[in-house]
Amino acid sequence: MVHIIDKAEYEKQWRANAQYLDPDDSADITKICPENFGKGYERVIRLRGIEILIINQVLYQDLDIFYPSGKVEEFLEFGFNMSGQRGIVPSCTNFLEFVPPGWKDEEAISEMKSGDRIVKIDIAFNPADFLDNYVPGYLSNLPPNLRQILETPDAEPYWENDDTITPQMRIALEQILKCPFQGVTKHLYLEAKCLELVALKIEQLQSKKESIAQSNILKSDDINRIHWAREILLKNLAHPPSLLELAKEVGLNDYKLKLGFRHCFGTTVFGYLHLHRMELARQLLLESKMKVQEVARAVGYANQSRFAAAFCKRFGTNPKSFKK
């Protein structure tokens, strides 16, 4: 059963559970998920010219939020959907969104699905502040799509969400989630991590330009086979086929398979596999009663020490500490 609620009532129920987890920082607000919706939290941290929204929640039932028409404050947002699906953004993808000054949104419904844990981080800037404070004099060096929306006075809203969260992005995202500092140290640390993520996203957009020439080598049937290969990997995280076996199974040579993975997903075949192994391990440690050794086996590691080393490299902490 889908629960339908309007935006004003939804936000009112969240505000009723607002807390200041850092007592010395009024710009860091955590709202605990209302019990009738699910469990988890939404956290808003306002930095110098940056607003971070962290969402970590599980819903008990599907939720449709009705957004009425009205003016929307301008923003430039870099979003990272680490797990679960909120609205139209798939898991493990990132997006770029721009809303120009004076824009009026039409009525809309945002769909939120129950069951899966939604973990996402959005980093928002005022577009003018972003230009003045972070890329002054470098506008011509930005990727064409980002440059166009920033330098066009009457630009239309812009949305793009077809890029995968890279391993480097995920490390910075996990560091934001586990920020160990408070006060001014926290602000400096989080600002640095936000700018690191923006830099990685801009580099990803630049790389897409370079992949256009490569994409001419790949036909639409090749792209379909690349996605087929990805599904095979995801279904066999614990016991994946070799590169040559995978290429043979989907009917490609190993060169096209490697080229296609970089073009479609921004990483190597086994870089993609490793990323999802670690993400599954993270979810199992958080949400199940499995022991670390059992989690290691579930994601394809016979050696617990190797699993611990890989997990620590990815998330900055060992599996036992993470589970605690």
Side-chain angles (χ1 to χ4, degrees):
M1 179 179 177
V2 178
H3 184 65
I4 303 174
I5 189 171
D6 66 75
K7 174 189 175 186
E9 179 59 27
Y10 176 79
E11 292 180 346
K12 177 183 176 182
Q13 293 196 37
W14 277 90
R15 284 196 302 270
N17 295 324
Q19 301 178 7
Y20 293 93
L21 300 185
D22 184 347
D24 297 323
D25 189 358
S26 60
D28 183 353
I29 303 173
T30 298
K31 294 174 284 187
I32 306 302
C33 184
E35 292 183 358
N36 56 316
F37 291 160
K39 59 182 180 180
Y41 65 88
E42 291 186 2
R43 183 181 180 189
V44 176
I45 309 170
R46 291 182 175 88
L47 308 175
R48 180 184 55 174
I50 303 173
E51 181 174 289
I52 307 173
L53 170 63
I54 301 173
I55 294 175
N56 189 334
Q57 63 186 32
V58 178
L59 297 178
Y60 296 146
Q61 59 182 323
D62 292 349
L63 191 64
D64 286 356
I65 306 173
F66 173 74
Y67 287 78
S69 62
K71 285 189 176 181
V72 181
E73 186 176 350
E74 64 178 309
F75 64 85
L76 174 68
E77 185 169 277
F78 299 82
F80 302 86
N81 203 35
M82 299 171 68
S83 68
Q85 180 165 339
R86 182 182 171 98
I88 62 173
V89 185
S91 178
C92 299
T93 62
N94 67 72
F95 65 87
L96 174 65
E97 184 175 7
F98 168 73
V99 172
W103 184 256
K104 184 176 181 180
D105 262 349
E106 297 179 352
E107 293 182 354
I109 291 179
S110 176
E111 298 179 351
M112 298 168 60
K113 299 298 182 183
S114 61
D116 294 336
R117 177 170 293 276
I118 299 168
V119 181
K120 71 190 299 284
I121 296 177
D122 298 337
I123 301 169
F125 300 82
N126 176 282
D129 290 343
F130 182 77
L131 275 174
D132 294 340
N133 297 332
Y134 300 106
V135 292
Y138 293 96
L139 186 59
S140 61
N141 296 329
L142 293 177
N145 48 356
L146 180 56
R147 184 174 69 243
Q148 182 176 359
I149 61 179
L150 289 173
E151 68 181 357
T152 305
D154 56 349
E156 293 287 313
Y158 181 85
W159 168 266
E160 175 189 335
N161 74 313
D162 60 346
D163 287 324
T164 301
I165 291 177
T166 66
Q168 294 91 340
M169 289 176 180
R170 188 165 289 274
I171 291 173
L173 291 165
E174 291 289 347
Q175 288 171 333
I176 288 177
L177 289 174
K178 299 179 177 64
C179 174
F181 307 112
Q182 289 191 335
V184 65
T185 310
K186 175 185 67 181
H187 279 239
L188 293 171
Y189 179 86
L190 291 177
E191 180 176 327
K193 292 301 166 185
C194 288
L195 296 179
E196 179 182 347
L197 285 163
V198 170
L200 290 170
K201 174 59 179 175
I202 289 176
E203 176 61 27
Q204 190 176 56
L205 293 172
Q206 293 280 28
S207 298
K208 288 175 71 174
K209 287 171 51 184
E210 299 170 2
S211 69
I212 291 175
Q214 294 178 343
S215 67
N216 293 332
I217 302 173
L218 299 170
K219 300 176 182 178
S220 60
D221 181 62
D222 295 330
I223 299 295
N224 291 336
R225 292 175 186 273
I226 297 300
H227 284 268
W228 179 18
R230 178 186 65 171
E231 294 304 316
I232 292 172
L233 282 181
L234 294 181
K235 290 178 181 177
N236 297 276
L237 288 178
H239 305 287
S242 69
L243 185 67
L244 291 177
E245 289 171 340
L246 183 61
K248 183 178 180 180
E249 186 168 352
V250 300
L252 292 173
N253 60 48
D254 60 328
Y255 171 75
K256 275 198 174 181
L257 182 64
K258 291 186 285 187
L259 179 67
F261 256 77
R262 284 206 172 275
H263 171 70
C264 295
F265 310 119
T267 185
T268 64
V269 176
F270 289 101
Y272 190 89
L273 173 68
H274 180 72
L275 174 65
H276 283 270
R277 276 178 162 175
M278 291 297 101
E279 177 58 26
L280 176 60
R282 187 185 72 85
Q283 292 180 3
L284 290 175
L285 289 169
L286 279 176
E287 301 171 11
S288 77
K289 296 182 179 179
M290 296 173 67
K291 297 179 180 178
V292 171
Q293 186 176 10
E294 294 171 330
V295 172
R297 287 197 297 266
V299 298
Y301 282 84
N303 186 300
Q304 186 175 335
S305 297
R306 288 185 178 179
F307 167 69
F311 190 91
C312 188
K313 184 176 180 181
R314 174 69 60 213
F315 298 117
T317 185
N318 65 62
K320 288 185 178 180
S321 299
F322 184 84
K323 187 171 182 64
K324 290 178 182 179

